[in-house]
Amino acid sequence: MARSDAAARMLLAQFGIDEAPIDPRLIAEKLGVLVVPQDMPDDVSGMLMRRGDEQVIGVNQQHHPHRQRFTVAHELGHLKLHRGRPLILDTDTRVNFRDTVSSMATDREEMEANRFAAALLAPEAMVRRAAREADFRTAGQLVQLMAKQFAMSEMAMNYRLINLGIIADSTLTS
């Protein structure tokens, strides 16, 4: 998973991004990737399509803005980390769907893309600095503060703080 973190850090450095909240749509735009809000079934968060030099990220416009941000970052992870799964199509287009299966992260590529998205939206150095500077009494308060600062859901921030070893356990009820 270190390659997911490294790829996210390199992308942020490439564009000189060093402040939260990170805008994954702006990063996509700078990479020449079109982000298109779409009506999709509720269990599909987004998709990545590649055809030659063209890349398009479709994102479920019915989902919460925090989830849309994570989806765009997740699809950028696929773009930067994965060449693509073969599909049987009448064109040479590759489609990656972000759906209920990918969100459970049972497949290596999906886990890497999720890790990339977390590292892109909540870079470790920024999270650690913000946590040191935060005024909080409980881990639950820290999660709330950080989620707001990084424009992420509390659940996603809770996982990020746990994965970075900043908090010890699920604290959403604290």
Side-chain angles (χ1 to χ4, degrees):
M1 293 299 177
R3 91 183 190 116
S4 298
D5 297 323
R9 278 193 307 272
M10 286 176 54
L11 194 55
L12 292 169
Q14 177 182 346
F15 296 119
I17 299 170
D18 59 4
E19 267 186 52
I22 309 299
D23 184 351
R25 289 177 193 236
L26 179 61
I27 293 170
E29 180 182 309
K30 288 181 177 197
L31 290 171
V33 178
L34 181 64
V35 176
V36 181
Q38 292 286 307
D39 286 325
M40 299 178 181
D42 192 53
D43 68 335
V44 176
S45 298
M47 62 183 175
L48 171 65
M49 295 190 307
R50 301 183 214 193
R51 183 180 310 158
D53 292 337
E54 296 177 316
Q55 300 97 24
V56 177
I57 293 173
V59 64
N60 191 329
Q61 65 187 359
Q62 303 303 317
H63 286 175
H64 189 280
H66 291 299
R67 187 168 179 188
Q68 290 182 40
R69 287 169 37 79
F70 193 89
T71 295
V72 172
H74 174 97
E75 299 305 342
L76 288 172
H78 280 304
L79 183 68
K80 298 306 273 183
L81 298 169
H82 308 128
R83 291 177 51 134
R85 297 181 196 113
L87 291 177
I88 301 170
L89 294 173
D90 291 333
T91 69
D92 58 351
T93 302
R94 170 199 177 189
V95 179
N96 274 94
F97 286 101
R98 177 157 160 68
D99 57 17
T100 52
V101 173
S102 67
S103 67
M104 291 187 299
T106 56
D107 151 304
R108 182 188 59 80
E109 282 191 2
E110 294 305 322
M111 289 188 288
E112 284 181 338
N114 282 344
R115 175 89 181 235
F116 176 93
L120 188 71
L121 296 176
E124 182 173 359
M126 286 185 211
V127 169
R128 290 190 184 285
R129 182 176 61 243
R132 281 192 307 272
E133 296 171 356
D135 181 22
F136 64 96
R137 291 201 168 113
T138 67
Q141 288 176 337
L142 178 62
V143 169
Q144 290 173 340
L145 288 168
M146 301 286 282
K148 185 174 183 178
Q149 183 173 347
F150 287 85
M152 296 172 68
S153 70
E154 288 183 19
M155 181 177 290
M157 182 53 71
N158 190 64
Y159 286 129
R160 185 67 173 148
L161 293 172
I162 290 170
N163 290 335
L164 292 175
I166 294 172
I167 60 176
D169 202 343
S170 180
T171 59
L172 291 179
T173 58
S174 300

